[in-house]
Amino acid sequence: MRLLHTSDWHLGRSFHRVGLLDAQAAYLDHLVETVRAHEVDVVLVAGDVYDRAVPPLAAVEIFDMALHRLAAEEVPTVMISGNHDSARRLGVGAGLIERAGIHLRTDPAGCATPVMLSDDHGDVAFYGLPYLEPALVKDQLGAAKARHEQVLTAAMDQVRADLASRPAGTRSVVLAHAFVAGGEPSDSERDITVGGVAAVPAGVFDGVDYVALGHLHGAQRVTERVRYSGSPLAYSFSEADHRKTMWLIDLGPGGEIAGADRLDCPAPRPLARLRGRLEDLLEDPALDGHEGSWVEATLTDPVRPDDPMARLCARFPHTVSLVFAPDRGPEDDHVSYAQRLKGRDDQQIAEDFVAHVRGGSGPDGRERAVLRGVFDDVRVDETVREVAR
């Protein structure tokens, strides 16, 4: 059975205030053409269909059009909600849509209810695990703790129990939206850390033939059977070196991975991260190839130059991000607030603040747990309020 694994469409998202709807529509055209050209049997979409819980109408329209085209191809599609989606909104009409071969899995209660599809070698059970917010699904799934590993383990225990009840030789595929240990994150994924831990071990998914993951935006292989497709478009400059692709997976008669190929997605523009003094960036002939790229320019001039964005845009008209990082000696401690915070999460910033106001003594273990609990509560509250809008 030939599977096309994709995820993290983030329909409605922009790139540094540049609208991407045309590029996203072009990707969905490419997706349908790929289904046809490669004789795909099943399309898998592993969450984050939209960029936010209440997407703009134009994003909903291109999604609706893509579903109609996939249904017209008579190729089943299995799709789950991600942490950016409103599970309830995305799941509206799922029962009716399923009649057209579009199988939406957005309710945690349905984790162990597979979509059953068949080929010449027998049945394949597709289990859709939508994004599981630990604090909201712990009791529903019977998990021991409100942590990512525990709720995913509880969901996978249900999957394994259902699979064990099916005829021998039934092959299995799981779709999940999670941060699995070994995956490489980028700057454009929303933090899902709970209790100081974001990642879960790949072993949580033991016992199934293929795991189609979403959440991380770089295409990658965690194990032979556990893979991220990544996002089809770049959503931050941290993805400048990504090759944006989808996985074409051939699931063999015995559940083996008989083939795994990366199929390229169309890119609206390449990304370029340029660094140096303004005059050097404007005059260096080696940068000619970036004049059509989206550009992030980091200026290292010791003194901020006049009108830098306009001057950069004269040569690089698609400059969308400007960063100042002046070259200074190691003795210069005038580091900007943004630079001091770069790469630090909310927990680390709060702990540093406690250490600062105490004159060097940071929080103890109990205090760190209190801070972590507060940040978890705030994140869950924001999730609930966003979905309820």
Side-chain angles (χ1 to χ4, degrees):
M1 185 174 284
R2 176 161 286 181
L3 316 175
L4 184 64
H5 169 196
T6 178
S7 72
D8 294 275
W9 296 353
H10 288 280
L11 301 180
R13 189 165 184 159
S14 57
F15 183 80
H16 290 271
R17 299 178 298 281
V18 177
L20 291 177
L21 274 174
D22 287 346
Q24 290 172 334
Y27 162 69
L28 293 175
D29 288 343
H30 173 73
L31 172 69
V32 175
E33 291 163 4
T34 300
V35 167
R36 187 181 301 124
H38 290 270
E39 299 181 337
V40 169
D41 296 307
V42 187
V43 175
L44 310 177
V45 186
D48 280 355
V49 173
Y50 293 119
D51 189 54
R52 57 181 188 263
V54 185
L57 179 58
V60 177
E61 288 174 341
I62 63 172
F63 174 63
D64 179 64
M65 188 177 302
L67 293 189
H68 277 84
R69 293 179 64 188
L70 288 168
E73 293 294 326
E74 298 184 349
V75 173
T77 297
V78 184
M79 181 179 299
I80 62 172
S81 50
N83 61 300
H84 279 250
D85 298 309
S86 164
R88 293 187 66 182
R89 284 188 172 88
L90 186 62
V92 168
L96 289 173
I97 295 172
E98 191 155 12
R99 298 179 187 178
I102 308 294
H103 305 274
L104 292 170
R105 291 293 185 264
T106 64
D107 185 352
C111 286
T113 304
V115 177
M116 298 300 300
L117 301 172
S118 301
D119 63 7
D120 292 341
H121 305 288
D123 291 339
V124 182
F126 291 84
Y127 297 92
L129 278 56
Y131 172 68
L132 303 173
E133 178 60 55
L136 301 181
V137 303
K138 168 185 173 291
D139 294 337
Q140 183 179 7
L141 294 175
K145 294 181 180 179
R147 296 289 186 267
H148 287 296
E149 181 175 355
Q150 282 74 17
V151 296
L152 275 168
T153 296
M156 282 301 303
D157 285 345
Q158 294 182 15
V159 167
R160 285 184 281 262
D162 179 84
L163 187 59
S165 72
R166 298 188 178 275
T170 300
R171 290 162 290 166
S172 55
V173 173
V174 164
L175 290 78
H177 197 86
F179 186 174
V180 175
E184 289 292 329
S186 61
D187 292 342
S188 54
E189 299 111 8
R190 182 181 292 173
D191 182 27
I192 59 171
T193 299
V194 174
V197 179
V200 301
V204 165
F205 298 103
D206 285 351
V208 296
D209 296 315
Y210 183 69
V211 182
L213 292 174
H215 181 58
L216 300 186
H217 288 182
Q220 49 201 297
R221 173 186 175 277
V222 179
T223 72
E224 179 65 15
R225 296 181 181 275
V226 181
R227 299 171 188 256
Y228 283 98
S229 68
S231 61
L233 299 173
Y235 293 118
S236 73
F237 277 101
S238 66
E239 301 169 57
D241 295 330
H242 286 189
R243 176 187 164 201
K244 295 300 183 181
T245 58
M246 301 176 284
W247 281 110
L248 188 68
I249 302 294
D250 286 324
L251 190 65
E256 71 277 12
I257 305 301
D261 296 313
R262 291 178 65 183
L263 305 181
D264 290 298
C265 299
R269 290 185 187 281
L271 273 57
R273 307 183 93 169
L274 308 183
R275 183 183 183 92
R277 298 196 176 197
L278 178 59
E279 292 301 330
D280 294 336
L281 298 183
L282 296 178
E283 296 174 5
D284 188 350
L287 302 181
D288 288 351
H290 298 308
E291 292 177 358
S293 302
W294 276 320
V295 168
E296 177 188 72
T298 298
L299 300 185
T300 60
D301 302 72
V303 177
R304 185 173 299 212
D306 293 333
D307 209 9
M309 181 60 94
R311 293 166 68 187
L312 279 166
C313 286
R315 181 179 186 190
F316 307 104
H318 304 289
T319 301
V320 294
S321 177
L322 184 57
V323 180
F324 293 96
D327 286 333
R328 294 189 173 106
E331 73 284 354
D332 193 332
D333 60 358
H334 297 292
V335 180
S336 74
Y337 181 70
Q339 288 172 311
R340 292 200 303 272
L341 297 186
K342 187 174 182 181
R344 306 184 69 76
D345 60 27
D346 291 341
Q347 178 85 13
Q348 292 169 319
I349 293 168
E351 290 182 13
D352 287 350
F353 175 75
V354 172
H356 173 72
V357 297
R358 285 179 173 171
S361 175
D364 60 24
R366 182 185 63 82
E367 291 168 329
R368 283 196 296 272
V370 170
L371 286 171
R372 187 176 301 119
V374 170
F375 284 123
D376 288 348
D377 290 344
V378 168
R379 188 179 53 78
V380 171
D381 182 63
E382 288 176 345
T383 300
V384 171
R385 286 190 289 109
E386 183 178 11
V387 171
R389 282 193 302 167

